Amino acid sequence: MNEQEKTQEQNKALIAAWSDHSRMWKDNTWVYPVISRRAGGLSVGINLNPDHKCSFACAYCQSGPQEGHESVAIDIDGVERELRQFLEFYKSGEFSKCDFFGHVPEDKKILKDICLSGDGESTIVKEFPEVCKRMRKLQKENEGQFKLRLITNASRLGNEKVEDALAYLLESDGEIWAKLDAGTEEWYKRMNRSAVKFETILNNLEKVIKLYPICIQTMLCSLQGDVPTDAEIEQYIGHLQRIYAAAPKNFVEVQLYTVIRQTATPDVLPLPKEFLEAVAKKINEKLPVQVRIF
């Protein structure tokens, strides 16, 4: 195989890895590796919601609804055991050669983070605080060789126990990646379909950014033929301004993305890159923040 063919094979493998963020890996229940465009390399996910429990029911969800899944008790020791086993596997060099990830370019297989992210909302699990403590312990043992992150819909960021847990998780260079998909209550209800009030989400984000670095993640998509209007985008940017004003130094970036995998709900379709670029331009006209498009 010549160099051009090798590069083509690596690019093909990388695209496949970006598109497949399966929560299933080997015989694991809780821990799974993915190649993350947003993290810039290998991200080790912790799925505390294999039963799909969530405080949102997003129209674009790629995990599927909670219905039909039996409740799963969290095995905290099992979570830690799977994390340790994976880290040993990674350090041994075997991960770099294994099955699905073998042909991905080496620089994309560098461990970037351990991230609480799965088939639901991690913060609604009562074991969340203890899992955060175990993750921080592992980070210390590995001398901070990776970040710790939480991907969240922000519905529970105002909860006292969650706040206490985040003090452990984000003690050393950690980040929250929080969802904000709407500018209005109406679009929020259609996109995220939650009993949690939209203003609660905004208040939580405004509160927690005063304590920790936050990335705002925003899904832009067509929903049953409708797309976010100019007025919707303007109000969304207004909320970003409000969050930014609370703690500018902790506002890391905005991540704009669209649908790339199969969604649980029909009639949810991706928007063209030009739409996302136009939104990014409008954000930067109002805010001095980095905006990345995925």
Side-chain angles (χ1 to χ4, degrees):
M1 181 183 296
N2 60 39
E3 284 302 313
Q4 183 178 1
E5 290 172 334
K6 182 178 178 181
T7 299
Q8 289 175 344
E9 185 178 63
Q10 287 181 333
N11 288 339
K12 184 178 180 181
L14 182 57
I15 291 170
W18 280 342
S19 301
D20 185 353
H21 282 193
S22 172
R23 274 71 166 175
M24 303 302 296
W25 191 70
K26 295 189 179 295
D27 295 326
N28 284 8
T29 299
W30 314 105
V31 173
Y32 62 98
V34 299
I35 304 300
S36 168
R37 292 179 298 162
R38 293 169 215 170
L42 173 62
S43 178
V44 178
I46 300 177
N47 183 12
L48 297 184
N49 310 96
D51 50 12
H52 293 219
K53 286 184 180 176
C54 194
S55 49
F56 280 17
C58 296
Y60 60 82
C61 181
Q62 293 154 354
S63 297
Q66 182 177 329
E67 292 76 16
H69 295 274
E70 293 184 6
S71 181
V72 177
I74 306 299
D75 178 0
I76 298 173
D77 291 335
V79 173
E80 181 177 350
R81 182 170 58 253
E82 289 185 8
L83 272 175
R84 290 185 178 279
Q85 288 172 344
F86 182 84
L87 289 173
E88 289 302 314
F89 186 63
Y90 173 79
K91 291 174 187 176
S92 73
E94 290 303 306
F95 171 78
S96 184
K97 298 179 285 186
C98 74
D99 43 71
F100 182 71
F101 300 97
H103 295 295
V104 173
E106 291 302 315
D107 65 327
K108 300 301 182 184
K109 290 185 282 193
I110 297 172
L111 178 59
K112 297 295 184 178
D113 68 24
I114 296 179
C115 182
L116 282 157
S117 173
D119 291 312
E121 174 56 36
S122 301
T123 60
I124 68 175
V125 174
K126 70 179 188 302
E127 294 85 0
F128 176 77
E130 181 59 30
V131 172
C132 288
K133 291 178 184 179
R134 303 279 183 105
M135 291 170 67
R136 176 61 179 137
K137 181 176 71 172
L138 275 172
Q139 187 188 44
K140 286 180 179 178
E141 290 176 9
N142 287 272
E143 300 178 340
Q145 294 178 11
F146 47 80
K147 280 180 173 284
L148 298 180
R149 289 189 170 108
L150 166 67
I151 296 181
T152 177
N153 61 28
S155 62
R156 296 266 294 168
L157 291 183
N159 177 271
E160 185 176 344
K161 290 184 178 179
V162 171
E163 289 183 3
D164 291 345
L166 293 176
Y168 290 99
L169 186 73
L170 307 179
E171 184 178 20
S172 177
D173 197 29
E175 290 178 347
I176 297 170
W177 288 6
K179 180 189 300 293
L180 181 63
D181 294 330
T184 64
E185 182 86 26
E186 179 185 6
W187 191 250
Y188 165 76
K189 287 179 177 177
R190 291 186 64 187
M191 285 283 284
N192 301 132
R193 302 188 300 186
S194 175
V196 180
K197 293 181 179 179
F198 186 43
E199 187 63 25
T200 298
I201 302 298
L202 297 173
N203 289 339
N204 287 349
L205 291 171
E206 188 176 14
K207 180 180 180 181
V208 82
I209 198 173
K210 295 175 183 177
L211 302 173
Y212 306 113
I214 286 187
C215 298
I216 297 294
Q217 295 187 320
T218 301
M219 166 63 80
L220 295 168
C221 61
S222 169
L223 181 56
Q224 296 172 328
D226 296 329
V227 301
T229 63
D230 289 343
E232 177 71 31
I233 296 300
E234 287 303 314
Q235 292 198 57
Y236 159 75
I237 295 173
H239 299 318
L240 292 182
Q241 290 176 295
R242 167 183 167 182
I243 297 163
Y244 175 85
K249 290 183 179 180
N250 278 345
F251 198 113
V252 178
E253 66 180 10
V254 178
Q255 300 174 354
L256 302 179
Y257 62 111
T258 192
V259 177
I260 63 169
R261 294 186 286 274
Q262 182 67 42
T263 60
T265 304
D267 300 325
V268 179
L269 300 173
L271 292 176
K273 185 179 180 182
E274 291 77 13
F275 188 98
L276 277 66
E277 289 173 341
V279 173
K281 182 179 179 181
K282 289 180 179 179
I283 293 171
N284 283 142
E285 287 171 354
K286 299 287 183 67
L287 283 170
V289 298
Q290 177 173 263
V291 182
R292 291 198 291 161
I293 295 173
F294 296 94

